[in-house]
Amino acid sequence: MRRASIRLIHLGLLIAFISVLSTTVNAQFRAGVQGTVTDSTGAVVPGATVVLMNKDTNQTQQTVASDDGFYRFSSLAPGNYQLSAEKAGFKKAVIDTLKVDAEAVKGQDIVLEAGVISETVTVQADNVGLQTEDPGIRKTVTNEEILRLPQVGRDPYELARLTPGVFGAGSRGSNGASIGLPNTTGPGGSNASIFQTENQVPISANGQ
């Protein structure tokens, strides 16, 4: 009896551990896609079925536009996606290539044209000059940029400097010596790198 109780306790702990791991894995990605489904006159289209497919894995997600025509997909891995929307009385709209960057929310509205669902209208993703979905300041470093970047000593911390507003200890003062960041304590700046990798890694990102 006691042995059976111990097994039940172990089983319960195992299930709890797996649940925690599942939650952690699900929270690894914070990218998303959201927008509004409208018709050609600009009126919202509630109840439209919106499907998002990861073109790298062929995995799909589905949601239904709200009464305001709004849809949203969360916890997405960065990559290339295909977005489609359909509703009775309208042609199916397909946005063939939708690039989703890491840690960013992509705004993409969908316009449905009157017709039958068997007809499909394929368009390209909006080239958004001003991103209104996310107030964050960021830059996505592409693989090509990384390969072409002349990294001194192959220091991966050099890549952080490509992001707007990022500074680190190791900058040179008027006497040529390295200096630390303002209001920081501990060892001085690095003499070998833009960041103080020998002792600690103080990085200032937009004042934080």
Side-chain angles (χ1 to χ4, degrees):
M1 184 69 181
R2 182 180 178 184
R3 184 173 298 178
S5 299
I6 293 175
R7 287 181 178 177
L8 286 175
I9 293 173
H10 288 170
L11 180 61
L13 291 175
L14 179 61
I15 293 174
F17 180 70
I18 293 175
S19 299
V20 171
L21 286 181
S22 300
T23 303
T24 302
V25 170
N26 187 52
Q28 284 181 347
F29 302 111
R30 291 186 295 178
V33 175
Q34 67 183 35
T36 304
V37 183
T38 62
D39 61 18
S40 55
T41 66
V44 298
V45 180
T49 301
V50 185
V51 178
L52 183 70
M53 182 185 74
N54 188 322
K55 300 185 73 173
D56 300 322
T57 64
N58 290 328
Q59 291 183 333
T60 61
Q61 300 182 47
Q62 180 176 308
T63 189
V64 177
S66 66
D67 293 339
D68 298 327
F70 181 78
Y71 76 90
R72 179 180 175 86
F73 294 97
S74 304
S75 303
L76 300 178
N80 293 315
Y81 290 81
Q82 182 186 78
L83 184 67
S84 63
E86 60 183 44
K87 187 179 180 180
F90 295 93
K91 299 177 183 178
K92 181 179 179 180
V94 176
I95 299 174
D96 191 46
T97 302
L98 186 69
K99 183 180 178 183
V100 175
D101 296 325
E103 305 296 302
V105 178
K106 174 77 173 180
Q108 181 64 59
D109 293 334
I110 307 173
V111 179
L112 297 180
E113 297 181 7
V116 294
I117 295 180
S118 59
E119 297 180 278
T120 302
V121 178
T122 303
V123 298
Q124 296 297 319
D126 294 340
N127 183 15
V128 181
L130 177 63
Q131 178 57 264
T132 59
E133 308 295 330
D134 188 350
I137 300 175
R138 59 172 53 87
K139 172 179 171 53
T140 301
V141 182
T142 65
N143 184 58
E144 182 179 359
E145 288 177 314
I146 294 175
L147 294 176
R148 292 177 178 271
L149 186 69
Q151 300 181 54
V152 179
R154 306 299 295 173
D155 184 358
Y157 286 108
E158 293 283 341
L159 298 175
R161 289 197 296 163
L162 298 178
T163 304
V166 171
F167 301 93
S171 300
R172 297 291 183 256
S174 58
N175 59 357
S178 63
I179 58 175
L181 289 170
N183 302 319
T184 58
T185 60
S190 170
N191 284 313
S193 171
I194 188 65
F195 294 119
Q196 192 173 281
T197 54
E198 298 93 335
N199 304 307
Q200 55 183 331
V201 190
I203 297 177
S204 172
N206 298 302
Q208 300 184 8

